[in-house]
Amino acid sequence: RPASVLEWKSQRLKRSLKSSLAAEAAAMESGRDVGFHIGVFLSELLHFDFRASQSDGHTLVAVRPSTDCRSLYDTLIKQTMSTSEKRVQISFAAIRENTASSGGDNSVRWVPTAHQLADALTKRDFKLFKIMAEFCMNPEACLIQQLSKSDKANETSETDA
């Protein structure tokens, strides 16, 4: 699907955290707020009858948070709290609740680090730069795993057997 980078930010978090999982959750929560704002803006822009003031926290443009932090993804998907840090538990709950209420499918996407385009914006690596340059020339993205034709054929033959 066609894609575009609408917002990008690299910053220090405003509070100190005890673990990298806590930092990832705080960053996603912050990003989720920005994503919701963009979703509301695009909903008003693209749908004449949409009114943000009457939206009840929903948008017509789904916002799907993505992370390359597998432990954050696993924690959010399995709906259990894997940490004793109370503030992080609140962040997990907020991310789940906000994702569900924004018109999304209540899920966070995991993106393998090798496919995390934003890394090219903060790390000096020619390979990452090349991947980002290719994305800029052909801006398409897929947030779900798609099977290749050979994978689909193998899956069908295994089902028939």
Side-chain angles (χ1 to χ4, degrees), residues 43-95:
S43 294
E44 283 194 328
L45 184 68
L46 299 173
H47 302 278
F48 178 75
D49 56 342
F50 181 85
R51 298 287 177 265
S53 60
Q54 301 168 349
S55 70
D56 233 6
H58 291 77
T59 67
L60 299 177
V61 177
V63 175
R64 295 189 175 90
S66 303
T67 183
D68 65 344
C69 177
R70 188 61 194 224
S71 59
L72 175 62
Y73 171 80
D74 290 341
T75 300
L76 291 169
I77 294 303
K78 66 182 172 181
Q79 301 282 330
T80 60
M81 302 297 174
S82 65
T83 181
S84 61
E85 296 176 65
K86 301 299 183 199
R87 179 64 188 116
V88 179
Q89 291 178 6
I90 293 169
S91 292
F92 292 153
I95 293 165

